[in-house]
Amino acid sequence: MPVKKTNAARHLDDLAIAYTLHQTEVDERDLSAVAMAHKLGVAPEQVFKTLVARGDRHGVLMACIPGPRELDLKKLAAASGNKSVSMVALKEVLPLTGYIRGGCSPLGAKKAYPVYLDESAAMWEAIYVSAGQRGVQLRLNPADLARAARAVSADLCRD
């Protein structure tokens, strides 16, 4: 069955940015980006998860990092001009973004939050990010994602 267009996909359409939609089975027990990579048959580092955080100075922001990596909050704080950054509580993600856990996209959220994209994205011709629905991924050029999300590229992961 054809994949239903999401707000994130429509945002890319509005900007005339090329992408493909990929749908997989959803396993409620494992919504990780690494599991998604296995379902898509691509390297886990090519599937980026979107995390929602809050800075002490500039408020809510999003970080896109490779699936198997861990976010370094100090690096995100430095990149975003905050003194400190903390993850938002899971119960806040839906009211803030309109997205549920396992389906959070850097595009098409309720509000256009600042997005920070891990610099490793540039190594890939294409990366995958959530299309805003569990089990649905957008495959697109990382520079196009950065343009669409007005993302800032930075080193965001723990060493």
Side-chain angles (χ1 to χ4, degrees), residues 60-142:
V60 176
L61 52 94
M62 294 178 161
C64 292
I65 65 169
R69 303 290 306 275
E70 240 181 279
L71 179 63
D72 185 319
L73 293 171
K74 285 187 168 91
K75 288 180 179 179
L76 180 58
S80 62
N82 287 284
K83 246 189 189 155
S84 66
V85 170
S86 57
M87 298 302 295
V88 303
L90 191 55
K91 67 179 188 236
E92 288 185 87
V93 173
L94 178 61
L96 286 171
T97 66
Y99 293 131
I100 59 172
R101 183 175 73 89
C104 192
S105 178
L107 301 167
K110 276 184 175 178
K111 189 174 174 224
Y113 295 112
V115 175
Y116 296 85
L117 178 62
D118 188 70
E119 63 189 13
S120 68
M123 297 175 4
W124 300 97
E125 183 182 313
I127 60 171
Y128 294 80
V129 294
S130 176
Q133 201 176 309
R134 284 181 177 168
V136 184
Q137 295 283 305
L138 294 164
R139 180 185 187 274
L140 73 166
N141 179 281

